[in-house]
Amino acid sequence: MNKKVANAEEACKGIENGMTLMLGGFGLCGIPENSISELVNLNVKELTCISNNAGVDDFGLGLLLQKKQIKKMISSYVGENDEFERQMLSGELEVDLIPQGSLAERCRAGGAGIPAFFTPAGYGTEVAEGKEVREFNGKPHILESALTADFAIVKAWKGDTAGNLVFKGTARNFNPMMAMAGTITIAEVEELVEPGELNPNEIHTAGIFVQRIFQGTGYEKRIEQRTVRPKN
Amino acid sequence: MLSKTQIAQRIAQELQNGWYVNLGIGIPTLVANYIPKGIEVEFQSENGILGMGPFPIEGTEDADLINAGKQTITALPGAVYFDSATSFAMIRGQHVQLTVLGGMEVSETGDIANWKIPGKMVKGMGGAMDLVASADNIIVAMMHTNRAGESKLLKKCSLPLTGVACVKKIVTNLAVLEIVEAGFKLIERAPGVSVEEIKNATEGNLIIDGEIPEMVL
């Protein structure tokens, strides 16, 4: 099945105001740079964005925040973005902060047909407010519901035109679960190959979860914290 | 009194052979620099790596290889990458033997607050709530008092909680303490710090049982 589209513009067709989007990445690692630029171009507004982080002021989802395209963020950590904090504290931006493991599992569940699950994370904290609590093996757990999205936008290292994906290093993070949870999943990859060129033993995300795929260009891959040891 | 580096050094003495360990941001990260001789541990970072190595040699850093603090890192031989759901399966499923994290406040019943100061700092909990809710063994690395000199070891946390009744041990600049049923049990004193000083810096119930040894670094 050929899911190849020409570029981000073609891939993002159908994304409209008010939609819910999932965007892969951890910090700026493994984010769909090309598609985020296209969302800025499209100037779609009132978006609900599900993403572990919110980028930095001038990169990643920070670009959408600057243009006030996001109505609501569902994230686990947003510490690196001053504009985010400003919009949140002033009430312009609705924010749902959820534990990182619960966020990952809620996306996974959404893609896996599990409507909800119990987790110990957040019990006894404000995260548990309004949620059902049940004890298993003597330990309290809270009920968390699955997340899905109109569009899930993920970034992989390599992919084939059938939508099979291979990730690199820690750029995998939320991408595989989000790929499963999108009604339409867009995958942008650094290298797009023909079916048969990827080793089926080494594919991380099966093409069944991906509806559109394209080879991105001009990846900046910005590093947030460059920590190194000297050469000698 | 211990420096932040020495707090990390003291926590490293707790490492046991064969453990998988998750280190939080700040002082906990420094623990990796003091693994005792003959002890083999593997570090897990919740963004998706097991077998995390030191920072890369200048010029070899890779944007696709970072830790949970978004710092560039390396992978040791035998390392593995995985997605976030698998990462938290390791954590929630108690496959990780030790979690070390920072704290703003700890209560005498083992509650911890370290993610939010209402109206001031709202950065999010990241993976901290999953980590503290699940880990069997949690050590908190922190200063005994805040900048205003007020105790961070309290009867009850005043800040929004990260987790309930989960902390097992605390290593501060003044002492090593364990959470027991009745409160903070004083285990060791930092070099040159008296029991009296620790008492004065601890708001929660401090249990002093016999002679308290000085820690050896």
Side-chain angles (χ1 to χ4, degrees), chain A:
Chain A
M1 255 176 268
N2 189 353
K3 295 164 180 182
K4 184 183 168 183
V5 295
N7 48 32
E9 194 184 335
E10 203 180 317
C12 291
K13 259 189 198 139
I15 298 182
E16 291 168 11
N17 292 348
M19 280 191 166
T20 296
L21 309 181
M22 280 182 185
L23 297 111
F26 187 99
L28 300 177
C29 181
I31 59 170
E33 294 183 19
N34 282 233
S35 303
I36 290 171
S37 299
E38 178 57 18
L39 291 174
V40 173
N41 288 340
L42 285 172
N43 202 23
V44 279
K45 304 222 182 239
E46 300 280 299
L47 298 172
T48 294
C49 291
I50 303 169
S51 175
N52 188 53
N53 313 88
V56 295
D57 279 321
D58 62 346
F59 201 58
L61 288 184
L63 298 171
L64 299 187
L65 282 167
Q66 272 183 9
K67 287 188 70 193
K68 309 223 163 99
Q69 292 176 257
I70 303 177
K71 179 186 72 176
K72 182 178 181 180
M73 276 298 312
I74 299 177
S75 303
S76 88
Y77 188 83
V78 293
E80 331 295 346
N81 194 315
D82 294 337
E83 176 60 14
F84 183 101
E85 215 163 351
R86 192 197 65 71
Q87 287 187 22
M88 174 168 65
L89 292 172
S90 72
E92 288 165 60
L93 182 68
E94 214 181 308
V95 179
D96 195 0
L97 289 170
I98 44 189
Q100 197 175 123
S102 298
L103 178 61
E105 195 63 17
R106 288 175 73 179
C107 295
R108 201 197 71 82
I114 306 282
F117 58 91
F118 282 96
T119 176
Y123 169 75
T125 76
E126 60 186 58
V127 165
E129 283 167 21
K131 290 175 185 162
E132 185 183 336
V133 175
R134 208 184 287 182
E135 254 182 46
F136 295 94
N137 305 318
K139 192 173 167 173
H141 293 71
I142 61 173
L143 185 67
E144 291 282 10
S145 59
L147 290 169
T148 54
D150 297 309
F151 280 82
I153 309 176
V154 304
K155 153 81 192 339
W157 178 35
K158 293 180 187 171
D160 66 22
T161 55
N164 295 307
L165 304 177
V166 177
F167 301 93
K168 178 168 162 264
T170 54
R172 192 180 320 181
N173 55 64
F174 282 82
N175 286 298
M177 287 84 63
M178 290 184 169
M180 294 164 70
T183 304
I184 294 176
T185 291
I186 299 168
E188 57 173 84
V189 299
E190 290 174 52
E191 191 186 344
L192 185 61
V193 300
E194 291 302 317
E197 289 185 49
L198 298 176
N199 182 342
N201 289 304
E202 293 168 1
I203 289 167
H204 299 126
T205 288
I208 191 169
F209 298 119
V210 174
Q211 280 69 45
R212 302 174 188 174
I213 189 164
F214 70 97
Q215 184 168 305
T217 54
Y219 282 103
E220 193 175 328
K221 291 199 181 184
R222 223 185 263 190
I223 291 174
E224 272 182 75
Q225 309 278 343
R226 188 178 301 272
T227 45
V228 294
R229 285 176 291 158
K231 264 187 184 140
N232 294 305

Side-chain angles (χ1 to χ4, degrees), chain B residues 3 12 15-16 61 64 66 80 133 150 168-169 182 190 197:
Chain B
S3 66
L15 298 174
Q16 288 183 25
E61 60 271 29
D64 291 327
I66 62 168
V80 56
E150 298 157 341
K168 299 286 186 295
K169 197 172 253 184
E197 283 173 81

Side-chain angles (χ1 to χ4, degrees), chain B:
Chain B
M1 208 181 288
L2 300 187
S3 66
K4 287 180 177 178
T5 316
Q6 287 171 314
I7 293 176
Q9 220 174 321
R10 175 60 190 82
I11 291 172
Q13 294 176 2
E14 304 284 322
L15 298 174
Q16 288 183 25
N17 208 27
W19 273 5
Y20 293 102
V21 179
N22 182 292
L23 302 176
I25 296 164
I27 302 174
T29 306
L30 303 173
V31 172
N33 300 335
Y34 300 100
I35 306 167
K37 280 225 160 59
I39 298 283
E40 198 188 331
V41 295
E42 252 188 59
F43 293 109
Q44 197 252 20
S45 196
E46 64 266 27
N47 59 315
I49 177 173
L50 200 56
M52 179 173 41
F55 294 149
I57 301 285
E58 199 180 339
T60 67
E61 60 271 29
D62 178 355
D64 291 327
L65 188 44
I66 62 168
N67 63 17
K70 284 119 183 170
Q71 297 171 312
T72 46
I73 51 158
T74 52
L76 295 173
V80 56
Y81 306 119
F82 36 83
D83 64 59
S84 303
T86 305
S87 179
F88 283 93
M90 292 175 191
I91 289 163
R92 262 190 259 97
Q94 302 193 329
H95 307 284
V96 173
Q97 277 78 26
L98 172 68
T99 289
V100 183
L101 74 174
M104 294 175 187
E105 294 176 348
V106 174
S107 83
E108 63 187 31
T109 54
D111 297 352
I112 178 170
N114 71 351
W115 76 281
K116 184 178 181 182
I117 305 172
K120 255 195 208 161
M121 188 204 82
V122 194
K123 294 182 184 305
M125 67 292 281
M129 283 193 183
D130 309 271
L131 282 159
V132 302
S134 312
D136 255 340
N137 193 3
I138 298 172
I139 301 178
V140 175
M142 65 179 196
M143 297 314 222
H144 212 99
T145 54
N146 64 20
R147 287 205 182 97
E150 298 157 341
S151 181
K152 293 167 74 169
L153 280 66
L154 307 170
K155 287 194 185 311
K156 204 169 175 286
C157 294
S158 65
L159 294 168
L161 294 181
T162 309
V164 178
C166 52
V167 176
K168 299 286 186 295
K169 197 172 253 184
I170 308 157
V171 179
T172 74
N173 51 332
L174 303 184
V176 177
L177 310 104
E178 274 174 16
I179 301 283
V180 296
E181 211 157 301
F184 299 106
K185 184 168 197 263
L186 186 55
I187 304 295
E188 291 173 14
R189 295 173 292 118
V193 174
S194 69
V195 168
E196 203 54 32
E197 283 173 81
I198 298 165
K199 221 193 248 175
N200 290 337
T202 309
E203 190 227 72
N205 193 34
L206 186 70
I207 300 150
I208 303 155
D209 194 4
E211 201 62 25
I212 307 298
E214 224 176 59
M215 59 181 90
V216 182
L217 290 175

